[in-house]
Amino acid sequence: MRETIAVKTIIDLRLLREVNEEGRRPLAADDGITYINAPLEMASTEGVPPEEVLNLLYRQCLASDSLVTAVKQIAESAGTPTVFHCAAGKDRTGVVAAIVLGLLGVEEDAIVADYMASAANMQRMVD
C-alpha cells in the first residue's frame, strides 16, 4: 500500500492571466493548502530571432522578483510537501528546480540531466 503525502504548499509560477484563464487546479482549492502565486515573467518574443528566444526567456525569469519569492517559500517550507509548477513544467519550473537543486548541492551534471529529462518528455506532457 502506498503512503499518501499531503501537499501543504503550492507555488504557482504562472502569470495571473494564465491563472485566471486556466484556474488554480484542484489541489489549490483545498483549505488545508497554502497557495502562492509567484509569477515568473516571460517576455514577448515577437521579433526575437528563434535562436535567441530561450536565452531571453530564461534571463527574464532569473531577473524576476517572483523567483526570489518562490525559492524563499520553498526554503521556508522545508520538511513539508511543497509543489511548484507553471503551465507546462519545463521552462519556469525548470529554472526554479535547477536553482533549488543547486542550492541543495546537487552536481551540475545531475541538474542538467534532470532538465533534459523534462525536455525529452515534453511532447508526452503536452498530449
Side-chain angles (χ1 to χ4, degrees), residues 17-97:
R17 173 187 51 78
E18 293 173 288
V19 173
N20 290 336
E21 289 172 4
E22 300 165 15
R24 285 179 39 179
R25 314 289 197 223
L27 279 179
D30 187 319
D31 286 336
I33 297 176
T34 300
Y35 174 86
I36 297 160
N37 181 234
L40 290 184
E41 283 293 325
M42 299 297 274
S44 168
T45 57
E46 190 173 323
V48 176
E51 66 275 8
E52 295 177 24
V53 167
L54 284 179
N55 189 18
L56 173 65
L57 294 177
Y58 285 116
R59 279 197 331 252
Q60 271 229 311
C61 278
L62 291 170
S64 173
D65 289 340
S66 290
L67 178 62
V68 174
T69 299
V71 173
K72 183 178 177 184
Q73 184 60 52
I74 292 167
E76 289 173 358
S77 299
T80 61
T82 301
V83 172
F84 58 93
H85 71 88
C86 59
K90 183 177 77 67
D91 297 317
R92 293 172 282 187
T93 301
V95 167
V96 173

